[in-house]
Amino acid sequence: MATPRLHIPPLTDEEEAEIQRQIASDPDNPEATEEELANARPFAEVFPELAESIRRSRGRPAVPRPKQQVSLRLDPEVIEKFKATGKGWQARINEVLKRAKV
């Protein structure tokens, strides 16, 4: 199935003028020149080691037995008591259930 394309209407002259005014008013971020754009290179090409370190560090490391997400209905007072214990309250519920040996 093809992804639907969004129709983006063209800018009005007023919108374009406002964009150009904002570009001109920002001395810290001037519009790139044609020469700068022609000489632009991809980040990973310019900084290969940094790009690789970013790629490697994304997400959590894989675990042998990942936890499974489930939906569970609990009494409000149970949730309130666990939440009152601070960050990590869901993990504490997991520990209580493991110790219950049901």
Side-chain angles (χ1 to χ4, degrees):
M1 179 170 15
T3 304
R5 293 184 152 215
L6 297 176
H7 172 71
I8 301 173
L11 295 174
T12 65
D13 290 342
E14 293 80 20
E15 291 169 328
E16 179 64 30
E18 175 62 15
I19 290 170
Q20 293 303 321
R21 187 192 66 71
Q22 290 179 10
I23 290 170
S25 72
D26 187 356
D28 294 328
N29 192 18
E31 188 170 16
T33 65
E34 292 296 324
E35 182 181 354
E36 289 170 330
L37 292 173
N39 292 327
R41 295 180 8 225
F43 177 83
E45 183 181 308
V46 178
F47 302 104
E49 296 86 11
L50 182 56
E52 182 58 30
S53 72
I54 292 169
R55 267 194 292 278
R56 279 195 311 261
S57 65
R58 292 183 70 177
R60 292 182 175 218
V63 294
R65 293 184 54 200
K67 292 182 179 179
Q68 295 180 344
Q69 183 173 353
V70 298
S71 177
L72 178 67
R73 293 180 177 270
L74 300 172
D75 291 335
E77 48 277 359
V78 170
I79 296 171
E80 288 171 18
K81 286 182 181 180
F82 274 95
K83 278 187 173 183
T85 64
K87 191 173 180 176
W89 62 272
Q90 297 98 326
R92 284 189 287 284
I93 291 176
N94 186 57
E95 290 303 314
V96 169
L97 292 171
K98 283 196 304 191
R99 286 196 308 262
K101 300 185 186 210
V102 178

